[in-house]
Amino acid sequence: MKATVTVMLKPGVLDPQGEAVRRALHSLGFEGVEGVRQGRVIELDLAAQDRAAAEESIRAMCERLLANTVIESYRIEIA
Amino acid sequence: MKATVTVMLKPGVLDPQGEAVRRALHSLGFEGVEGVRQGRVIELDLAAQDRAAAEESIRAMCERLLANTVIESYRIEIA
């Protein structure tokens, strides 16, 4: 089973990486870019067959390792 | 207009970051994780109103800055 976890900084948390990308895009002439936020995407290949169990397991992975829930939010998509 | 760019290493390209995550998950007891690939997600806030023009512009950003197309592939989603 394939799953995708997207981890983004929560709104309001400063994103220096995204800001650096925005500036770099401006300096390349892409003036129409008003904001950039950068996050991580983690694709998981799971042995589990049960969808509900997989989602619960992925949620535990996010809470324990994949995301820093103080400053980051995560979204789980199961294919 | 909001757009999301997802940048992943191409299949076959070694992903040491993903492999480190896989090992860390195993050591936390998540034995069912067979493979992990890690990539970047970039959320763009664009002034453009025209969808086709925005997509073309984002494609140029990917080719010039956001992705290293030798080893990475990218996917564009416009909200």
PDB file of all heavy atoms in Angstrom, chain B residues 12-33:
ATOM      1  N   GLY B  12      15.101   5.219  -9.168  1.00  0.00           N
ATOM      2  CA  GLY B  12      16.447   4.729  -9.448  1.00  0.00           C
ATOM      3  C   GLY B  12      17.529   5.612  -8.854  1.00  0.00           C
ATOM      4  O   GLY B  12      18.653   5.159  -8.652  1.00  0.00           O
ATOM      5  N   VAL B  13      17.186   6.866  -8.566  1.00  0.00           N
ATOM      6  CA  VAL B  13      18.166   7.752  -7.934  1.00  0.00           C
ATOM      7  C   VAL B  13      18.177   7.457  -6.438  1.00  0.00           C
ATOM      8  O   VAL B  13      17.124   7.410  -5.807  1.00  0.00           O
ATOM      9  CB  VAL B  13      17.832   9.246  -8.174  1.00  0.00           C
ATOM     10  CG1 VAL B  13      18.826  10.150  -7.454  1.00  0.00           C
ATOM     11  CG2 VAL B  13      17.805   9.548  -9.661  1.00  0.00           C
ATOM     12  N   LEU B  14      19.368   7.210  -5.899  1.00  0.00           N
ATOM     13  CA  LEU B  14      19.504   6.880  -4.485  1.00  0.00           C
ATOM     14  C   LEU B  14      18.964   8.013  -3.618  1.00  0.00           C
ATOM     15  O   LEU B  14      19.239   9.182  -3.880  1.00  0.00           O
ATOM     16  CB  LEU B  14      20.999   6.662  -4.178  1.00  0.00           C
ATOM     17  CG  LEU B  14      21.312   5.767  -2.986  1.00  0.00           C
ATOM     18  CD1 LEU B  14      20.873   4.326  -3.270  1.00  0.00           C
ATOM     19  CD2 LEU B  14      22.800   5.807  -2.702  1.00  0.00           C
ATOM     20  N   ASP B  15      18.180   7.662  -2.592  1.00  0.00           N
ATOM     21  CA  ASP B  15      17.565   8.659  -1.724  1.00  0.00           C
ATOM     22  C   ASP B  15      18.015   8.408  -0.279  1.00  0.00           C
ATOM     23  O   ASP B  15      17.313   7.759   0.498  1.00  0.00           O
ATOM     24  CB  ASP B  15      16.035   8.561  -1.867  1.00  0.00           C
ATOM     25  CG  ASP B  15      15.303   9.543  -0.975  1.00  0.00           C
ATOM     26  OD1 ASP B  15      15.969  10.336  -0.280  1.00  0.00           O
ATOM     27  OD2 ASP B  15      14.066   9.516  -0.971  1.00  0.00           O
ATOM     28  N   PRO B  16      19.174   8.896   0.103  1.00  0.00           N
ATOM     29  CA  PRO B  16      19.698   8.624   1.447  1.00  0.00           C
ATOM     30  C   PRO B  16      18.822   9.188   2.561  1.00  0.00           C
ATOM     31  O   PRO B  16      18.717   8.593   3.635  1.00  0.00           O
ATOM     32  CB  PRO B  16      21.083   9.284   1.455  1.00  0.00           C
ATOM     33  CG  PRO B  16      21.137  10.157   0.258  1.00  0.00           C
ATOM     34  CD  PRO B  16      20.084   9.716  -0.705  1.00  0.00           C
ATOM     35  N   GLN B  17      18.142  10.296   2.279  1.00  0.00           N
ATOM     36  CA  GLN B  17      17.263  10.905   3.275  1.00  0.00           C
ATOM     37  C   GLN B  17      16.067   9.979   3.554  1.00  0.00           C
ATOM     38  O   GLN B  17      15.718   9.733   4.699  1.00  0.00           O
ATOM     39  CB  GLN B  17      16.762  12.237   2.713  1.00  0.00           C
ATOM     40  CG  GLN B  17      16.582  13.317   3.736  1.00  0.00           C
ATOM     41  CD  GLN B  17      16.228  14.658   3.094  1.00  0.00           C
ATOM     42  OE1 GLN B  17      16.148  14.776   1.859  1.00  0.00           O
ATOM     43  NE2 GLN B  17      16.008  15.658   3.907  1.00  0.00           N
ATOM     44  N   GLY B  18      15.467   9.485   2.465  1.00  0.00           N
ATOM     45  CA  GLY B  18      14.345   8.555   2.607  1.00  0.00           C
ATOM     46  C   GLY B  18      14.771   7.280   3.318  1.00  0.00           C
ATOM     47  O   GLY B  18      14.047   6.746   4.161  1.00  0.00           O
ATOM     48  N   GLU B  19      15.973   6.813   2.985  1.00  0.00           N
ATOM     49  CA  GLU B  19      16.488   5.580   3.600  1.00  0.00           C
ATOM     50  C   GLU B  19      16.724   5.791   5.099  1.00  0.00           C
ATOM     51  O   GLU B  19      16.445   4.894   5.905  1.00  0.00           O
ATOM     52  CB  GLU B  19      17.789   5.181   2.882  1.00  0.00           C
ATOM     53  CG  GLU B  19      18.436   3.906   3.362  1.00  0.00           C
ATOM     54  CD  GLU B  19      17.546   2.675   3.302  1.00  0.00           C
ATOM     55  OE1 GLU B  19      16.545   2.671   2.557  1.00  0.00           O
ATOM     56  OE2 GLU B  19      17.855   1.706   4.046  1.00  0.00           O
ATOM     57  N   ALA B  20      17.206   6.972   5.470  1.00  0.00           N
ATOM     58  CA  ALA B  20      17.403   7.289   6.896  1.00  0.00           C
ATOM     59  C   ALA B  20      16.074   7.289   7.637  1.00  0.00           C
ATOM     60  O   ALA B  20      15.972   6.790   8.768  1.00  0.00           O
ATOM     61  CB  ALA B  20      18.098   8.636   7.034  1.00  0.00           C
ATOM     62  N   VAL B  21      15.032   7.837   6.982  1.00  0.00           N
ATOM     63  CA  VAL B  21      13.702   7.844   7.597  1.00  0.00           C
ATOM     64  C   VAL B  21      13.191   6.415   7.764  1.00  0.00           C
ATOM     65  O   VAL B  21      12.655   6.044   8.815  1.00  0.00           O
ATOM     66  CB  VAL B  21      12.707   8.689   6.758  1.00  0.00           C
ATOM     67  CG1 VAL B  21      11.280   8.527   7.273  1.00  0.00           C
ATOM     68  CG2 VAL B  21      13.107  10.163   6.783  1.00  0.00           C
ATOM     69  N   ARG B  22      13.395   5.588   6.735  1.00  0.00           N
ATOM     70  CA  ARG B  22      12.936   4.191   6.802  1.00  0.00           C
ATOM     71  C   ARG B  22      13.594   3.478   7.991  1.00  0.00           C
ATOM     72  O   ARG B  22      12.937   2.789   8.772  1.00  0.00           O
ATOM     73  CB  ARG B  22      13.256   3.457   5.495  1.00  0.00           C
ATOM     74  CG  ARG B  22      12.556   2.098   5.372  1.00  0.00           C
ATOM     75  CD  ARG B  22      13.046   1.309   4.182  1.00  0.00           C
ATOM     76  NE  ARG B  22      14.465   0.976   4.291  1.00  0.00           N
ATOM     77  CZ  ARG B  22      14.958  -0.010   5.058  1.00  0.00           C
ATOM     78  NH1 ARG B  22      14.152  -0.773   5.756  1.00  0.00           N
ATOM     79  NH2 ARG B  22      16.258  -0.225   5.112  1.00  0.00           N
ATOM     80  N   ARG B  23      14.906   3.660   8.137  1.00  0.00           N
ATOM     81  CA  ARG B  23      15.615   3.017   9.254  1.00  0.00           C
ATOM     82  C   ARG B  23      15.134   3.523  10.601  1.00  0.00           C
ATOM     83  O   ARG B  23      14.975   2.755  11.546  1.00  0.00           O
ATOM     84  CB  ARG B  23      17.124   3.287   9.144  1.00  0.00           C
ATOM     85  CG  ARG B  23      17.741   2.462   8.041  1.00  0.00           C
ATOM     86  CD  ARG B  23      19.240   2.609   8.068  1.00  0.00           C
ATOM     87  NE  ARG B  23      19.786   2.100   6.813  1.00  0.00           N
ATOM     88  CZ  ARG B  23      21.057   1.866   6.610  1.00  0.00           C
ATOM     89  NH1 ARG B  23      21.943   2.101   7.550  1.00  0.00           N
ATOM     90  NH2 ARG B  23      21.473   1.385   5.460  1.00  0.00           N
ATOM     91  N   ALA B  24      14.914   4.835  10.682  1.00  0.00           N
ATOM     92  CA  ALA B  24      14.441   5.415  11.942  1.00  0.00           C
ATOM     93  C   ALA B  24      13.057   4.860  12.285  1.00  0.00           C
ATOM     94  O   ALA B  24      12.777   4.539  13.440  1.00  0.00           O
ATOM     95  CB  ALA B  24      14.396   6.929  11.841  1.00  0.00           C
ATOM     96  N   LEU B  25      12.189   4.729  11.267  1.00  0.00           N
ATOM     97  CA  LEU B  25      10.852   4.169  11.509  1.00  0.00           C
ATOM     98  C   LEU B  25      10.960   2.721  11.983  1.00  0.00           C
ATOM     99  O   LEU B  25      10.257   2.310  12.907  1.00  0.00           O
ATOM    100  CB  LEU B  25       9.986   4.275  10.242  1.00  0.00           C
ATOM    101  CG  LEU B  25       9.503   5.686   9.892  1.00  0.00           C
ATOM    102  CD1 LEU B  25       8.836   5.698   8.516  1.00  0.00           C
ATOM    103  CD2 LEU B  25       8.533   6.227  10.940  1.00  0.00           C
ATOM    104  N   HIS B  26      11.863   1.956  11.361  1.00  0.00           N
ATOM    105  CA  HIS B  26      12.059   0.562  11.790  1.00  0.00           C
ATOM    106  C   HIS B  26      12.510   0.508  13.237  1.00  0.00           C
ATOM    107  O   HIS B  26      12.020  -0.286  14.024  1.00  0.00           O
ATOM    108  CB  HIS B  26      13.074  -0.141  10.877  1.00  0.00           C
ATOM    109  CG  HIS B  26      12.448  -0.738   9.674  1.00  0.00           C
ATOM    110  ND1 HIS B  26      12.649  -2.044   9.276  1.00  0.00           N
ATOM    111  CD2 HIS B  26      11.606  -0.206   8.770  1.00  0.00           C
ATOM    112  CE1 HIS B  26      11.956  -2.277   8.174  1.00  0.00           C
ATOM    113  NE2 HIS B  26      11.320  -1.177   7.843  1.00  0.00           N
ATOM    114  N   SER B  27      13.445   1.391  13.590  1.00  0.00           N
ATOM    115  CA  SER B  27      13.974   1.356  14.956  1.00  0.00           C
ATOM    116  C   SER B  27      12.925   1.803  15.966  1.00  0.00           C
ATOM    117  O   SER B  27      13.034   1.503  17.152  1.00  0.00           O
ATOM    118  CB  SER B  27      15.246   2.188  15.068  1.00  0.00           C
ATOM    119  OG  SER B  27      14.909   3.558  15.056  1.00  0.00           O
ATOM    120  N   LEU B  28      11.880   2.489  15.506  1.00  0.00           N
ATOM    121  CA  LEU B  28      10.766   2.861  16.392  1.00  0.00           C
ATOM    122  C   LEU B  28       9.690   1.768  16.420  1.00  0.00           C
ATOM    123  O   LEU B  28       8.666   1.919  17.074  1.00  0.00           O
ATOM    124  CB  LEU B  28      10.134   4.178  15.924  1.00  0.00           C
ATOM    125  CG  LEU B  28      10.927   5.455  16.200  1.00  0.00           C
ATOM    126  CD1 LEU B  28      10.269   6.650  15.536  1.00  0.00           C
ATOM    127  CD2 LEU B  28      11.042   5.709  17.701  1.00  0.00           C
ATOM    128  N   GLY B  29       9.906   0.703  15.658  1.00  0.00           N
ATOM    129  CA  GLY B  29       8.970  -0.413  15.694  1.00  0.00           C
ATOM    130  C   GLY B  29       8.001  -0.469  14.523  1.00  0.00           C
ATOM    131  O   GLY B  29       7.150  -1.352  14.472  1.00  0.00           O
ATOM    132  N   PHE B  30       8.114   0.450  13.585  1.00  0.00           N
ATOM    133  CA  PHE B  30       7.229   0.423  12.408  1.00  0.00           C
ATOM    134  C   PHE B  30       7.863  -0.483  11.346  1.00  0.00           C
ATOM    135  O   PHE B  30       8.432  -0.021  10.350  1.00  0.00           O
ATOM    136  CB  PHE B  30       7.009   1.841  11.868  1.00  0.00           C
ATOM    137  CG  PHE B  30       6.320   2.759  12.831  1.00  0.00           C
ATOM    138  CD1 PHE B  30       7.022   3.746  13.503  1.00  0.00           C
ATOM    139  CD2 PHE B  30       4.965   2.628  13.085  1.00  0.00           C
ATOM    140  CE1 PHE B  30       6.387   4.583  14.402  1.00  0.00           C
ATOM    141  CE2 PHE B  30       4.316   3.470  13.993  1.00  0.00           C
ATOM    142  CZ  PHE B  30       5.031   4.452  14.655  1.00  0.00           C
ATOM    143  N   GLU B  31       7.746  -1.791  11.570  1.00  0.00           N
ATOM    144  CA  GLU B  31       8.433  -2.771  10.727  1.00  0.00           C
ATOM    145  C   GLU B  31       7.774  -2.906   9.356  1.00  0.00           C
ATOM    146  O   GLU B  31       8.383  -3.402   8.414  1.00  0.00           O
ATOM    147  CB  GLU B  31       8.423  -4.150  11.414  1.00  0.00           C
ATOM    148  CG  GLU B  31       9.038  -4.179  12.804  1.00  0.00           C
ATOM    149  CD  GLU B  31      10.563  -4.116  12.767  1.00  0.00           C
ATOM    150  OE1 GLU B  31      11.121  -4.309  11.675  1.00  0.00           O
ATOM    151  OE2 GLU B  31      11.178  -3.836  13.820  1.00  0.00           O
ATOM    152  N   GLY B  32       6.521  -2.492   9.262  1.00  0.00           N
ATOM    153  CA  GLY B  32       5.779  -2.670   8.016  1.00  0.00           C
ATOM    154  C   GLY B  32       6.124  -1.669   6.920  1.00  0.00           C
ATOM    155  O   GLY B  32       5.544  -1.710   5.840  1.00  0.00           O
ATOM    156  N   VAL B  33       7.069  -0.771   7.204  1.00  0.00           N
ATOM    157  CA  VAL B  33       7.441   0.229   6.202  1.00  0.00           C
ATOM    158  C   VAL B  33       8.515  -0.349   5.286  1.00  0.00           C
ATOM    159  O   VAL B  33       9.638  -0.588   5.705  1.00  0.00           O
ATOM    160  CB  VAL B  33       7.955   1.523   6.881  1.00  0.00           C
ATOM    161  CG1 VAL B  33       8.338   2.554   5.847  1.00  0.00           C
ATOM    162  CG2 VAL B  33       6.909   2.073   7.829  1.00  0.00           C
TER     163      VAL B  33
END
